[in-house]
Amino acid sequence: MASKQSKTSASKIGSAFDEEHCRRRLAAIAVVAELLLRLQHEDPDRDLTEMALFVSADQARLVPKDTASKHNTAVIPMPARACARHLLNALLVDDGDAPIAVNLMSYRFAAAAREGKRLEMYEHEEIGRPAVALHLAVRSEV
């Protein structure tokens, strides 16, 4: 039988995490998972020096480095001499900076879109910091 305290805690958790919040969290996790699946089909030695990782509320994918970033998206340049294997290794670290950064940016972009806000990678630190963390995580694999 559950105690009165555990029932109260459960009701607080239930109200704090509404269905929409849970959907955004799961969608962000799916963005990371889909990116991992795409990268596993890449040539591990593919040079990413001229590439960037595009992250939005609903996807993360490799794009040319000169791709312009729009509101509620981030375009994170890959480090010099990086290849697909380095990005994949960084994303496979349990609780590592790279998967957390992609997840966090995707979630924040979805929340911003829902609230009618615009987030820019170079203007808002809630996006800029995870972008830098992702870049550094990949660079540490090179």
Side-chain angles (χ1 to χ4, degrees), residues 53-132:
L53 185 65
F54 171 88
V55 180
S56 69
D58 58 358
Q59 66 175 318
R61 59 186 165 84
L62 291 169
V63 296
K65 191 179 271 190
D66 60 355
T67 301
S69 178
K70 300 173 184 163
H71 66 276
N72 293 340
T73 65
V75 178
I76 301 104
M78 292 292 101
R81 298 180 316 282
C83 61
R85 174 181 59 259
H86 299 130
L87 176 56
L88 184 59
N89 287 345
L91 288 166
L92 288 173
V93 174
D94 287 338
D95 296 326
D97 288 345
I100 291 171
V102 173
N103 185 321
L104 191 57
M105 286 186 286
S106 178
Y107 177 83
R108 287 179 175 168
F109 288 140
R114 183 174 183 270
E115 296 167 9
K117 294 181 181 177
R118 294 178 146 206
L119 294 177
E120 307 291 337
M121 186 171 83
Y122 294 108
E123 294 178 22
H124 297 94
E125 71 178 44
E126 62 261 39
I127 299 303
R129 284 183 178 194
V132 169

